[in-house]
Every structure is written in structure tokens, then in C-alpha cells.
Amino acid sequence: MTATLSVAEILDLPALVPLWPTVGKALGLAESTTYQLAAENRLPSDLEVIRLGRRRVVRTVDLHRFLGLLPGNSETAAEATAAVSSEHPTSPDLKAQEASAQ
């Protein structure tokens, strides 16, 4: 299983990102699945795959829009960040802080 990207990592991406590993990991897909879905045009329609020679890339703004993480939409990004951090604490200290807050 592949590790997924965090919300902060996704928001810091350049204008064009590679289909693999960036888009695949952001969607929680394996490498072979990512390329297979792209070849069959079965990736979400919001994610237009652009071919640059042998490379396949996706516009970062399309990835943000699909994931609901548009930088201008701070409410959506804040909700996503809160959901990710509460579901996947990154350290034991964070778990302790959450437990004491409840």
C-alpha cells in the first residue's frame, strides 16, 4: 500500500504535477492502478491528464479542485486539514493533546 500525501503537501505543489507519484498518492492509488486508469480515461473527469513527451502530468489546480482544497477556499481547506489531523495523528504528543482536550 502506498503512503498518501498530506493536505499541506498537496497545497505546496507546483503548477503541473506528475501522474505518479503525486496524483496517484493523493488519490490513494497504487502506481499500476494510476497508470491503468489514466490509459483507460477512467480517472475522475476533473483530472485532465496532459502528455508531455513520455511524461503524464495533471494541473495542480485541477487536483486541488477535485480534492476540495482550493487555496482560496480556506473553509474547505481548514475542514479537510482538521479531518485529516483528527483521523491520522502524527505523533504520540498529538494524541495526548487530543485526549486532554476531550
Side-chain angles (χ1 to χ4, degrees), residues 7-94:
V7 173
E9 290 172 323
I10 293 170
L11 291 175
D12 287 336
L13 295 172
L16 293 174
V17 293
L19 185 62
W20 180 261
T22 308
V23 176
K25 285 186 176 185
L27 299 177
L29 300 173
E31 181 177 7
S32 59
T33 304
T34 302
Y35 282 116
Q36 183 69 32
L37 292 175
E40 297 172 356
N41 291 321
R42 291 179 45 210
L43 282 174
S45 61
D46 296 345
L47 302 175
E48 178 186 355
V49 178
I50 302 165
R51 294 189 69 171
L52 296 176
R54 295 185 65 176
R55 294 180 58 211
R56 288 176 179 83
V57 296
V58 172
R59 288 186 299 261
T60 303
V61 70
D62 292 343
L63 182 60
H64 288 175
R65 186 175 296 117
F66 176 74
L67 296 173
L69 300 175
L70 286 175
N73 190 350
S74 60
E75 182 178 319
T76 304
E79 289 171 2
T81 304
V84 169
S85 63
S86 67
E87 292 174 7
H88 303 288
T90 56
S91 70
D93 295 334
L94 190 58

